[in-house]
C-alpha cells in the first residue's frame, strides 16, 4: 500500500475539529494548516486570542509577547498589533543560504502573507515563522523540528484580533513606551538572534 503523505484525523474539541497531518514534510504542514479556516481558541490575551495545541503549554505573557513550551522547546510568540491595525505586511526575500526558507503569499490560497525561515547551527535549528501579523521564534533539534512547525502553524493561523481593543490600546498610547520592544520584531541577522535565543533557552532551562 502506498504511503499516504497526508493523514487527516478529526479530533473533536469543544464542538470544533482540528486536522492532524503527517509531519514528514514542511510544505505539506504549511499548505494544509494555514489554508484551513480554524476557529479554535483556548488562550486569550489583550486584544487577541488563539489556540494552544495539545502538547503545548502556555507559560507566561509580557504585554503582547507570550512564551509557550513543548517537548523541550520554548516558543516565543510576538503579537504585532500595530501591523494588524494598519494592515501592513513585512517584506521578505527567500534566503538561499537557510536550511529552509519560504515566502507565504496571500494570493496563493493563504489568508495572510508571511514567511518561514529555518537556520541550522551545529545540531540545532533556529525557526522564525511570521504569519497573521504575528511571529514565533524557537530553537529546536531536528527530531522535533516538524512538530514545532506544525504547532506554530496552528497557533499563528488561529490568532483572532479584537480590533476595538487594539484601537483602544492605540488611543491610550499603549505602544508609546514600547518602541524598543516592538522594533525587535523586525528581522535582524539570523546568526546573532540564534545565539541570543539559545542563551535565553539555556537560562530558562537552568531555572
Amino acid at each position: 500500500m502506498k504511503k499516504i503523505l497526508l493523514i487527516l484525523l478529526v479530533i473533536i474539541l469543544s464542538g470544533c475539529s482540528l486536522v492532524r497531518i503527517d509531519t514528514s514534510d514542511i510544505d505539506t504542514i504549511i499548505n494544509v494548516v494555514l489554508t484551513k479556516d480554524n476557529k479554535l481558541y483556548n488562550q486569550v490575551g489583550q486584544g487577541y486570542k488563539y489556540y494552544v495545541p495539545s502538547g503545548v503549554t502556555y507559560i507566561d505573557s509580557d504585554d503582547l509577547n507570550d512564551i509557550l513550551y513543548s517537548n523541550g522547546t520554548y516558543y516565543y510568540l510576538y503579537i504585532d498589533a500595530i501591523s494588524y491595525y494598519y494592515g501592513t505586511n513585512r517584506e521578505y526575500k527567500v534566503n538561499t543560504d537557510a536550511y529552509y526558507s519560504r515566502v507565504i503569499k496571500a494570493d496563493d490560497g493563504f489568508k495572510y502573507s508571511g514567511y518561514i525561515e529555518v537556520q541550522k547551527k551545529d545540531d540545532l535549528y533556529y525557526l522564525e515563522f511570521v504569519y497573521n501579523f504575528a511571529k514565533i521564534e524557537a530553537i529546536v533539534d531536528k527530531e522535533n523540528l516538524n512538530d514545532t512547525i506544525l504547532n506554530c502553524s496552528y497557533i499563528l493561523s488561529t490568532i483572532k484580533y479584537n480590533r476595538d481593543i487594539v484601537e483602544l490600546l492605540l488611543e491610550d498610547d499603549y505602544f508609546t513606551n514600547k518602541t524598543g520592544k516592538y522594533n525587535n520584531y523586525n528581522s535582524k541577522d539570523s546568526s546573532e538572534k540564534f545565539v541570543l535565543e539559545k542563551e535565553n533557552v539555556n537560562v530558562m532551562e537552568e531555572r
Side-chain angles (χ1 to χ4, degrees), residues 4 9 58 89 95 116 137-138 140 159 184 205:
I4 301 176
L9 296 176
Y58 167 81
N89 290 302
N95 183 356
I116 179 171
E137 295 180 347
V140 61
I159 293 174
N184 289 335
E205 288 181 342

Side-chain angles (χ1 to χ4, degrees), residues 60-145:
D60 196 11
S61 290
D62 179 12
D63 295 320
L64 300 181
N65 300 333
D66 291 2
I67 300 176
L68 303 102
Y69 178 86
S70 177
N71 198 22
T73 300
Y74 287 95
Y75 301 177
Y76 298 90
L77 170 63
Y78 307 94
I79 301 294
D80 189 1
I82 296 176
S83 291
Y84 156 74
Y85 186 80
Y86 292 106
T88 58
N89 290 302
R90 299 179 181 276
E91 297 296 326
Y92 176 78
K93 293 182 179 180
V94 170
N95 183 356
T96 56
D97 294 325
Y99 174 82
Y100 180 90
S101 177
R102 175 178 174 180
V103 176
I104 300 169
K105 298 181 180 180
D107 54 3
D108 286 343
F110 300 99
K111 191 171 183 179
Y112 307 99
S113 295
Y115 67 86
I116 179 171
E117 180 173 307
V118 180
Q119 292 276 4
K120 184 178 185 297
K121 186 174 179 65
D122 299 327
D123 295 326
L124 294 175
Y125 296 79
Y126 169 75
L127 169 66
E128 183 177 83
F129 197 157
V130 174
Y131 187 73
N132 193 6
F133 308 105
K135 177 171 74 169
I136 294 179
E137 295 180 347
I139 293 177
V140 61
D141 56 29
K142 187 170 185 178
E143 180 181 356
N144 294 311
L145 177 60

Side-chain angles (χ1 to χ4, degrees), residues 1 5 7 9-10 34 40 81 101 106 146 148 157 180-181 185 192 206-207:
M1 182 178 180
L5 294 178
I7 300 174
L9 296 176
V10 179
L34 297 191
L40 300 172
S101 177
N146 286 357
T148 298
S157 67
K181 177 177 292 186
Y185 186 89
E192 290 182 4
E206 287 174 2
R207 292 177 184 173

Side-chain angles (χ1 to χ4, degrees), residues 187-201:
S187 294
K188 298 179 181 178
D189 180 76
S190 295
S191 60
E192 290 182 4
K193 285 194 297 182
F194 189 97
V195 172
L196 290 174
E197 291 294 327
K198 183 177 180 181
E199 290 174 352
N200 288 340
V201 169

